[in-house]
Amino acid sequence: MIRSGVLVRQKIEIESIREIENTSTILSSPALSFDRIVIRYGIYDETVISPKDKTAFCKLLKDRNHSIVVNI
């Protein structure tokens, strides 16, 4: 579940995540920080977020879906 502000919520199934990697894009996103990662999921979808602990976040996702490619 991705939260941005009070009203915005986006749900991504862990099984649909294909890849996670660092990004420095300045595009608008739910990520308030510039220390961001991009999550690619589904066929063509992606979102940019900034978890508090990127390493722990990626490990948690990888533990649940071993096929995720992590490039951070």
Side-chain angles (χ1 to χ4, degrees), residues 2 7-9 11 16 21 28 32-33 39 42 57 60 71:
I2 298 170
L7 300 175
V8 179
R9 302 261 192 276
K11 184 176 182 179
S16 71
E21 70 178 355
S28 178
L32 297 176
S33 166
I39 296 177
F57 177 78
L60 177 69
N71 296 312

Side-chain angles (χ1 to χ4, degrees), residues 38-63:
V38 62
I39 296 177
R40 294 191 176 91
Y41 61 99
I43 297 174
Y44 301 110
D45 298 314
E46 64 181 39
T47 192
V48 178
I49 64 169
S50 59
K52 289 180 182 178
D53 185 341
K54 291 191 306 186
T55 304
F57 177 78
C58 291
K59 182 181 180 331
L60 177 69
L61 291 178
K62 185 78 173 170
D63 288 346

Side-chain angles (χ1 to χ4, degrees), residues 2-51:
I2 298 170
R3 290 178 286 204
S4 177
V6 178
L7 300 175
V8 179
R9 302 261 192 276
Q10 178 182 6
K11 184 176 182 179
I12 299 173
E13 298 296 329
I14 294 174
E15 296 78 26
S16 71
I17 298 174
R18 298 180 286 114
E19 182 180 13
I20 301 171
E21 70 178 355
N22 283 324
T23 186
S24 58
T25 183
I26 59 171
L27 296 176
S28 178
S29 72
L32 297 176
S33 166
F34 286 107
D35 187 18
R36 302 171 170 184
I37 59 175
V38 62
I39 296 177
R40 294 191 176 91
Y41 61 99
I43 297 174
Y44 301 110
D45 298 314
E46 64 181 39
T47 192
V48 178
I49 64 169
S50 59

